[in-house]
């Protein structure tokens, strides 16, 4: 875990146990917890579990165990679907929460709270501030084809390229949407290449020519390497067309 924390550049986090109970050398910060939450949310399946408020587990003898989520906001705040509560005597009541509304996902972190109620109240204040202050503008959908590029030694000579992730911009709710320019930089592509492989980047610039986002580019579909027969037929076709 410490090696992973180092890779994430978490400068105020150090682990010495797996359960999180108080130890002088076991610590983290609100900022680092936010970064960890952001990284965790890349695996969206986790939300299928953290958003569940209550569940009953069947025991071998037929009786049931009732489990209830310690994050009460998954039930009482629209959009909250995670993530993790915590409590120790020294840390107080803590909550790293996440919520999504109108395509805007927020992460909030509170620590050192005096009670569960205060923990929830302060989290609600943070989330309300975020949703009332900011909005997300979708500049370009990742499903939108940017164009075609040549694939060296590929079974397909050309392939469509798309963004790895949606190109978005975080705006104040009162801001107007700008006009955008795109600067595309794609590397030479040599087969085989798979969907998801980063083959370049696109810089998104606003009307003032300021870079507001940079998004990786990938191919829309896998392209296998061409065999000798594929290349022979391609060269033959070119020669016939040329003549």
């Amino acid at each position: 875990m410490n090696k992973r924390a180092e890779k994430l550049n978490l400068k105020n986090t150090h682990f010495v146990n797996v359960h999180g109970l108080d130890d002088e050398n076991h610590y983290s910060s609100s900022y680092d917890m936010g970064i960890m939450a952001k990284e965790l949310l890349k695996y969206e399946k986790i939300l299928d579990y953290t958003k569940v408020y209550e569940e009953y587990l069947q025991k071998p003898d037929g009786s049931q165990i009732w489990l209830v989520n310690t994050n009460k906001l998954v039930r009482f705040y629209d959009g909250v679907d995670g993530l993790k509560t915590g409590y120790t005597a020294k840390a107080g009541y803590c909550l790293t929460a996440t919520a999504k509304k109108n395509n805007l996902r927020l992460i909030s972190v509170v620590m050192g709270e005096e009670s569960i109620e205060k923990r929830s109240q302060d989290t609600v204040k943070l989330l309300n501030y975020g949703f009332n202050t900011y909005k997300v503008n979708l500049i370009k959908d990742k499903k939108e084809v940017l164009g075609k590029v040549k694939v060296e030694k590929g079974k397909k000579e050309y392939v469509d390229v798309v963004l790895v992730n949606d190109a978005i911009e975080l705006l104040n709710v009162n801001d107007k949407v700008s006009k955008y320019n795109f600067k595309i930089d794609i590397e030479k592509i040599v087969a085989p290449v798979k969907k998801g492989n980063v083959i370049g980047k696109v810089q998104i610039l606003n009307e003032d020519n300021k870079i507001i986002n940079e998004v990786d580019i990938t191919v829309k579909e896998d392209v296998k390497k061409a065999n000798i027969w594929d290349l022979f037929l391609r060269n033959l076709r070119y020669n016939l067309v040329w003549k």
Side-chain angles (χ1 to χ4, degrees):
M1 289 178 70
N2 287 317
K3 289 180 180 179
R4 187 74 177 109
E6 186 176 354
K7 288 182 180 179
L8 292 174
N9 199 30
L10 306 184
K11 297 180 179 179
N12 296 297
T13 295
H14 186 258
F15 301 100
V16 295
N17 59 56
V18 297
H19 44 66
L21 297 180
D22 291 330
D23 187 287
E24 184 177 348
N25 292 313
H26 190 98
Y27 55 83
S28 189
S29 68
S30 56
Y31 177 83
D32 284 3
M33 289 299 295
I35 296 300
M36 280 187 263
K38 182 180 178 181
E39 187 69 14
L40 179 62
L41 287 170
K42 291 180 180 179
Y43 308 92
E44 295 183 4
K45 185 69 175 176
I46 190 69
L47 297 174
D48 290 343
Y49 302 96
T50 59
K51 69 183 179 183
V52 176
Y53 180 68
E54 61 182 351
E55 188 61 86
Y56 290 89
L57 300 183
Q58 193 81 17
K59 295 173 66 176
D61 63 3
S63 61
Q64 292 183 327
I65 299 176
W66 178 53
L67 296 181
V68 62
N69 200 329
T70 52
N71 180 9
K72 307 301 181 185
L73 295 181
V74 299
R75 181 175 181 180
F76 298 108
Y77 189 101
D78 183 36
V80 170
D81 49 9
L83 274 167
K84 184 69 176 72
T85 61
Y87 170 81
T88 70
K90 289 185 177 180
Y93 291 91
C94 307
L95 172 58
T96 298
T98 185
K100 186 175 183 179
K101 291 183 182 180
N102 300 321
N103 206 36
L104 173 62
R105 177 167 291 282
L106 299 178
I107 295 170
S108 68
V109 182
V110 298
M111 292 178 162
E113 299 284 13
E114 60 191 30
S115 67
I116 293 174
E117 291 74 19
K118 190 68 167 57
R119 176 176 71 187
S120 294
Q121 290 169 6
D122 284 348
T123 297
V124 167
K125 289 178 182 178
L126 287 172
L127 294 175
N128 283 344
Y129 172 80
F131 287 123
N132 291 332
T133 305
Y134 299 103
K135 65 181 178 180
V136 168
N137 175 44
L138 177 62
I139 301 172
K140 192 169 287 290
D141 194 294
K142 65 181 180 180
K143 297 177 183 177
E144 186 177 343
V145 175
L146 301 176
K148 290 183 180 289
V149 294
K150 188 173 183 179
V151 182
E152 300 288 340
K153 301 179 181 179
K155 273 188 172 293
K156 291 188 66 173
E157 192 173 4
Y158 291 91
V159 65
D160 291 335
V161 293
V162 294
L163 300 176
V164 173
N165 296 302
D166 291 337
I168 61 174
E169 180 184 17
L170 184 65
L171 299 173
N172 187 283
V173 290
N174 298 317
D175 288 343
K176 295 182 178 179
V177 175
S178 174
K179 293 182 179 179
Y180 305 97
N181 296 311
F182 302 90
K183 185 178 179 181
I184 298 176
D185 182 18
I186 297 179
E187 305 164 1
K188 180 180 178 180
I189 307 173
V190 181
V193 60
K194 292 185 176 182
K195 182 179 179 180
N197 291 159
V198 176
I199 61 168
K201 293 181 181 295
V202 57
Q203 288 184 340
I204 302 168
L205 302 92
N206 62 14
E207 294 172 319
D208 299 324
N209 217 33
K210 179 182 177 182
I211 298 173
I212 60 172
N213 202 348
E214 189 174 75
V215 185
D216 291 332
I217 298 173
T218 187
V219 292
K220 189 177 181 181
E221 58 184 311
D222 296 349
V223 180
K224 296 180 179 179
K225 186 176 182 179
N227 55 39
I228 295 176
W229 180 246
D230 294 324
L231 297 175
F232 171 76
L233 291 176
R234 184 174 300 162
N235 289 330
L236 180 62
R237 184 169 64 252
Y238 283 156
N239 289 330
L240 290 173
V241 171
W242 179 257
K243 291 177 179 180

